[in-house]
């Protein structure tokens, strides 16, 4: 065997050994180490921020759910055009905003229609919702269209309807919203918010225990 062939085989063997070592390190050891650290320190987040009810996973605290029935608190519209209804499904494959300008006629018309619907659905005997009471997140979607939370103002607007539909005292439903209102992250990032799925699970538990 001449020196040139011997050198070629030596280099090939070194390359294969390096490939094997790097494959094990970056393809097996590193992912397992990262997964182990994530499970040890951030188990809830590493598992997808799952929300459980009745011993089953019913969703994630990071992703909005399909529309809820009239007895429950409603989410933000899912399609960016204010067309959320009790049958609206949040479609992960359709995540995204409308990218329509604020003065776009289609957007303006759909927001006005959604506002009228919110007023009608949440006006109950003894409590009248005015168009000026409707917050922006009640008639527009988030940038992703999958926002799991609503503003405390939108949750408060729905309290009287939810109380009436479930034969609950208004004060009890207000307290439920207050208990599920999260403040700004670290005290200054983002806005106060209410996770709709968690709130509705608590509402269902409350009504089932009545």
């Amino acid at each position: 065997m001449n020196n040139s062939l011997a050198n070629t085989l030596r280099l090939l063997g070194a390359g294969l050994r390096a490939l094997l070592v790097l494959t094990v390190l970056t393809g097996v050891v590193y992912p397992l180490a990262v997964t182990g650290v994530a499970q040890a320190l951030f188990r809830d987040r590493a598992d997808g921020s799952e929300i459980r009810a009745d011993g089953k996973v019913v969703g994630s605290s990071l992703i909005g759910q399909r529309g809820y029935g009239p007895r429950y608190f409603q989410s933000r519209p899912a399609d960016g055009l204010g067309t959320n209804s009790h049958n609206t499904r949040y479609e992960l494959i359709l995540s995204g905003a409308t990218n329509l300008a604020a003065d776009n006629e289609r957007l303006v018309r759909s927001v006005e229609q959604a506002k009228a619907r919110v007023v009608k659905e949440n006006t109950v005997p003894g409590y009248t919702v005015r168009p000026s009471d409707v917050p922006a997140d009640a008639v527009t979607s988030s940038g992703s269209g999958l926002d799991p939370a609503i503003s405390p103002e939108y949750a408060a607007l729905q309290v009287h309807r939810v109380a009436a539909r479930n034969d609950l005292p208004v004060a009890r439903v207000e307290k439920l919203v207050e208990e599920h209102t999260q403040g700004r992250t670290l005290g200054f990032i983002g806005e106060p918010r209410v996770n709709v799925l968690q709130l509705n699970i608590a509402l269902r538990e409350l009504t089932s225990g009545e």
Side-chain angles (χ1 to χ4, degrees):
M1 183 181 295
N2 57 46
N3 290 337
S4 177
L5 180 58
N7 287 336
T8 299
L9 292 176
R10 180 175 58 80
L11 291 175
L12 181 60
L16 290 174
R17 289 193 296 272
L19 175 63
L20 178 61
V21 171
L22 290 174
T23 298
V24 172
L25 286 177
T26 61
V28 179
V29 176
Y30 178 73
L32 288 177
V34 171
T35 301
V37 171
Q39 287 291 326
L41 300 179
F42 313 103
R43 185 177 182 84
D44 177 64
R45 296 181 182 179
D47 288 340
S49 301
E50 298 172 339
I51 295 179
R52 293 179 175 271
D54 300 325
K56 298 182 297 184
V57 176
V58 295
S60 168
S61 63
L62 303 177
I63 300 176
Q65 293 272 9
R66 69 178 64 186
Y68 302 94
R71 292 179 54 203
Y72 293 94
F73 288 90
Q74 301 301 308
S75 305
R76 297 185 67 166
D79 61 1
L81 291 176
T83 56
N84 198 22
S85 68
H86 300 316
N87 296 317
T88 297
R89 175 191 290 271
Y90 277 78
E91 297 287 0
L92 298 183
I93 196 172
L94 299 177
S95 174
T98 64
N99 293 328
L100 297 177
D103 60 352
N104 181 276
E105 292 183 5
R106 182 186 177 201
L107 179 62
V108 171
R109 183 170 61 253
S110 64
V111 167
E112 290 175 348
Q113 292 171 349
K115 182 177 291 188
R117 183 170 56 251
V118 170
V119 168
K120 180 180 179 180
E121 291 179 350
N122 290 281
T123 293
V124 295
Y127 180 75
T128 300
V129 177
R130 297 168 297 180
S132 59
D133 297 329
V134 180
D137 64 309
V139 294
T140 58
S141 73
S142 62
S144 69
L146 300 173
D147 199 328
I150 57 177
S151 66
E153 292 76 18
Y154 186 26
L157 182 147
Q158 301 182 63
V159 162
H160 286 77
R161 169 182 57 79
V162 171
R165 292 275 188 169
N166 292 280
D167 295 322
L168 291 171
V170 170
R172 184 65 188 91
V173 181
E174 288 177 334
K175 186 173 186 297
L176 197 66
V177 171
E178 181 181 351
E179 293 170 347
H180 287 81
T181 299
Q182 304 170 359
R184 293 179 173 85
T185 303
L186 300 179
F188 67 94
I189 300 176
E191 296 294 331
R193 59 202 180 279
V194 181
N195 186 286
V196 181
L197 177 56
Q198 292 174 331
L199 178 60
N200 281 334
I201 289 174
L203 175 64
R204 188 178 66 179
E205 293 174 348
L206 177 64
T207 54
S208 64
E210 289 291 323

